Amino acid sequence: MQDQTQDRTQTKERTRQTTGRELMTPEERQQQRAKMRRSETRKEREKVRAEHHEEMKERAKEQGKTIPANPPAGGMGGGMGGGMGGGMGGGQR
């Protein structure tokens, strides 16, 4: 019974709040990724991200949806960062 209540609560949370990505067409997502890649500094990326987030907040409002008040810190992850993996051929033998 508790699991069912928790599942319903989580489902309500998901339907109440969406992400900017869900409000974009595939072409818009591609354009946004390209803008981020062209940004040369962290400050430029933060500016692009903040401007885009404001646009998505407005779009969400027009559609009767909500998104988080602030963009995700550092973006949504992914990209070509240096993770824990050793890459190709970087390990010890």
Side-chain angles (χ1 to χ4, degrees), residues 17-91:
Q17 196 167 71
T18 188
T19 63
R21 181 182 186 344
E22 295 168 9
L23 301 172
M24 299 168 69
T25 65
E27 183 179 315
E28 289 173 320
R29 287 192 294 269
Q30 185 176 4
Q31 290 170 348
Q32 179 64 12
R33 284 192 299 267
K35 272 187 190 178
M36 291 296 285
R37 279 190 219 108
R38 284 191 304 266
S39 300
E40 295 182 8
T41 65
R42 171 168 272 186
K43 190 171 185 170
E44 287 176 9
R45 285 186 294 276
E46 288 173 0
K47 182 178 183 221
V48 169
R49 187 178 301 118
E51 289 171 353
H52 174 66
H53 189 73
E54 288 304 313
E55 290 173 20
M56 291 300 103
K57 280 181 14 184
E58 191 61 37
R59 187 177 294 184
K61 184 178 178 182
E62 290 168 2
Q63 295 180 16
K65 300 176 181 179
T66 61
I67 62 174
N70 297 308
M76 293 299 292
M80 296 180 61
M84 294 293 290
M88 295 181 64

